Amino acid sequence: MKWIFWGFLLAFLVALGIFASNMLGLFGQSPDPLAGIYLLPFGLPWNLLGIELPDPFPLIIGLGAPLLNLAILWGLWRWTAKRKRRR
């Protein structure tokens, strides 16, 4: 479970770096309107809940959803580690 958590975190940080690079136009790129496309899978299924909400909420939910998934993975990691120690 530890490797899944750290792998998810590393992949999320890489996607966040690509997002920042594309949005800010770093390295001579023009700013891309689809810069956040790599971040969408990291927030599933929670980012689908905010699609129909008014304007600022989809962005807030979309940015917070991967953090919620990270919290769930961290909790599962701790829970499985605690179960292993009890045996």
Side-chain angles (χ1 to χ4, degrees):
M1 201 68 204
K2 171 175 66 171
W3 292 105
I4 294 172
F5 174 80
W6 289 113
F8 185 88
L9 180 63
L10 179 67
F12 172 63
L13 290 176
V14 167
L16 197 61
I18 291 171
F19 170 72
S21 167
N22 287 343
M23 280 301 292
L24 299 175
L26 300 177
F27 308 115
Q29 299 173 350
S30 60
D32 188 12
L34 291 176
I37 198 74
Y38 298 114
L39 288 174
L40 285 176
F42 292 105
L44 286 175
W46 315 113
N47 54 5
L48 297 177
L49 297 174
I51 290 175
E52 300 296 324
L53 295 175
D55 195 21
F57 295 112
L59 177 64
I60 294 168
I61 291 174
L63 291 175
L67 300 176
L68 179 61
N69 283 340
L70 267 174
I72 291 170
L73 285 174
W74 182 79
L76 286 173
W77 173 21
R78 293 297 170 197
W79 181 68
T80 56
K82 194 182 299 184
R83 280 189 64 196
K84 246 184 194 180
R85 276 188 263 144
R86 264 194 249 153
R87 288 183 187 181

